[in-house]
Amino acid sequence: MRWRCNRLIPALAIDGYSSPAKQLSYLHEQHQLRSFSVERAMSLAWDRAIAKPGIPFRRVVVGFNCNVDVIVSGIQIIENLNTTCEKGMDHESIETLSDLHETFVHFFQRGAPAERYMSSEATFETVVRQAEAAIPRAQYHIGGNAALMAERIASGFPSTEVYLVGPIGPRSQALLNPSVRRTNSTRITKDELHVIMEYKQGETLGDYIAPSSSRFITSHDHFSGSTVVMEMFFKAIAQFKPDLVILSGIHTLEFHNKEMRLEKLRMIRRNLLQISSKVPIHFELGSLADATFMFDILHRIIPHVDSLGINEQELAFLSHVAGGPHMEEYPVQAGTVHAHKVKVLFLSLPPPFGC
């Protein structure tokens, strides 16, 4: 589940809606015969509670991560790799197939979503071949938070012009909604691929049982965090003159060297400060493992945006690196962080979101 926090109405995702538990109970009562899963029922509960904006945005610029998701069974992928794993272990960067196995198990036994960069291109290509060839039921979808949000805006708000800036390859070009505007300046000849390793509650892997349904993502991106793509993103803002800016993909900088990613954060911050204060900026965070990088984002980027998209894992990690409350929630275990704790965690963030 992803939470939204707006600095104009702190913890809007909590205070503005009725209790998800009450809505979930209502859905179960009304749809018992349809036997919704808990996840599906909760999703529908939020859909019922979230209202569309009263004043629609006319123009939106979204950037800068775009890729193709290859969605497969995580259990089947791991079993086909023929690796062994004595215990789960979280690797900040995945180098070998054994690293992948250990990291997958680490999150699988917790039922927690996660994303980890695969530093070895050769290893990643092995995983992709397994996903595409050994598993015939692999599904291809547009991926990357920026591209997904551009898609959602285009389909849900047909009167809104949406401009997507990101590395767009042949397959993502075909998958994108035709009404999503895009620039030729960030076209690439080969799509960035992300392998989405899904699993369901109760599935088993060796001695481990998934306590909840979730997914593990691995990738080896070349372009999402490139300087060219980010420059084109801010150039589009200046030219397109949107009344909403959506920023996503900063987490793809995590495995650049520290000097390079710090310079890119400075560049992003400089450009954010040049956007009119009348134009709201939404920042969608992503899964991270590096505490130093999360700390830099917390203090260099988050103070300059108006709303924040984040899940329980990311929120708990933010609180952890900032020395905030509810330290026991990191790392996130099976299930979700309770809503009252989410509110406290949001309010503990530095301004503009916290107190």
Side-chain angles (χ1 to χ4, degrees):
M1 181 184 297
R2 297 198 70 81
W3 300 91
R4 297 292 184 271
C5 183
N6 187 302
R7 73 177 178 184
L8 302 178
I9 310 176
L12 178 63
I14 308 303
D15 292 339
Y17 306 145
S18 59
S19 164
K22 291 180 180 178
Q23 294 170 24
L24 183 57
S25 175
Y26 171 79
L27 280 170
H28 278 308
E29 292 172 1
Q30 296 297 312
H31 303 285
Q32 285 180 343
L33 295 178
R34 298 172 67 177
S35 301
F36 286 133
S37 67
V38 173
E39 291 87 354
R40 176 63 174 157
M42 182 65 80
S43 175
L44 289 173
W46 281 111
D47 285 344
R48 290 177 63 249
I50 298 173
K52 291 185 177 181
I55 302 175
F57 295 107
R58 297 175 299 106
R59 292 183 170 187
V60 182
V61 172
V62 188
F64 44 82
N65 60 329
C66 177
N67 59 266
V68 172
D69 285 343
V70 186
I71 303 177
V72 295
S73 162
I75 302 295
Q76 198 168 350
I77 280 282
I78 294 298
E79 290 178 344
N80 287 352
L81 292 176
N82 293 319
T83 52
T84 58
C85 173
E86 294 184 2
K87 65 175 182 178
M89 182 182 301
D90 183 11
H91 295 270
E92 288 188 8
S93 175
I94 296 172
E95 178 70 26
T96 67
L97 295 177
S98 293
D99 290 347
L100 174 62
H101 193 159
E102 291 173 352
T103 307
F104 180 83
V105 166
H106 174 82
F107 291 102
F108 175 84
Q109 64 186 335
R110 291 167 170 78
E115 180 174 357
R116 292 292 179 266
Y117 178 77
M118 190 166 284
S119 56
S120 168
E121 185 169 9
T123 302
F124 183 68
E125 288 177 352
T126 299
V127 176
V128 170
R129 284 195 298 271
Q130 284 285 348
E132 293 184 322
I135 303 177
R137 288 191 294 273
Q139 302 174 51
Y140 296 89
H141 297 275
I142 196 69
N145 283 332
L148 288 169
M149 286 186 283
E151 280 279 296
R152 188 66 182 266
I153 293 168
S155 60
F157 302 89
S159 62
T160 301
E161 286 187 87
V162 57
Y163 196 127
L164 172 65
V165 180
I168 299 173
R171 194 187 292 268
S172 51
Q173 171 75 1
L175 288 170
L176 276 168
N177 188 311
S179 65
V180 174
R181 295 182 59 176
R182 57 210 85 167
T183 174
N184 289 328
S185 303
T186 58
R187 293 286 179 88
I188 54 177
T189 57
K190 184 179 179 181
D191 287 282
E192 305 266 48
L193 294 179
H194 287 200
V195 179
I196 316 296
M197 302 165 63
E198 294 187 334
Y199 52 88
K200 296 179 180 179
Q201 182 180 18
E203 280 197 273
T204 60
L205 179 61
D207 296 331
Y208 304 102
I209 302 175
S212 59
S213 301
S214 194
R215 84 290 180 274
F216 179 82
I217 303 173
T218 188
S219 61
H220 183 84
D221 288 352
H222 292 281
F223 300 104
S224 284
S226 72
T227 301
V228 171
V229 170
M230 289 189 288
E231 287 176 345
M232 289 298 102
F233 172 64
F234 288 109
K235 184 178 180 180
I237 294 171
Q239 294 179 341
F240 195 58
K241 301 188 185 307
D243 40 24
L244 172 65
V245 171
I246 299 177
L247 171 63
S248 175
I250 287 181
H251 64 286
T252 63
L253 304 178
E254 183 171 20
F255 291 101
H256 293 208
N257 66 63
K258 291 184 179 181
E259 292 75 18
M260 181 180 293
R261 75 187 186 194
L262 189 57
E263 179 54 38
K264 289 185 176 181
L265 287 181
R266 291 190 184 113
M267 184 192 80
I268 293 169
R269 179 181 177 276
R270 286 195 303 269
N271 282 278
L272 290 177
L273 291 172
Q274 293 176 20
I275 298 173
S276 169
S277 59
K278 296 180 180 179
V279 178
I281 303 169
H282 173 75
F283 173 42
E284 194 77 12
L285 197 57
S287 181
L288 292 168
D290 188 308
T292 301
F293 187 44
M294 180 66 94
F295 186 86
D296 288 339
I297 290 173
L298 177 63
H299 292 283
R300 294 176 183 273
I301 304 299
I302 289 178
H304 306 293
V305 301
D306 299 287
S307 68
L308 179 64
I310 195 168
N311 68 17
E312 294 95 332
Q313 189 99 357
E314 296 151 10
L315 180 58
F317 192 29
L318 264 180
S319 182
H320 174 74
V321 301
H326 297 301
M327 300 289 283
E328 76 280 0
E329 295 295 344
Y330 181 80
V332 172
Q333 301 296 316
T336 60
V337 180
H338 289 294
H340 73 279
K341 291 185 179 180
V342 170
K343 179 177 179 179
V344 172
L345 289 169
F346 267 130
L347 293 176
S348 72
L349 296 178
F353 297 101
C355 297

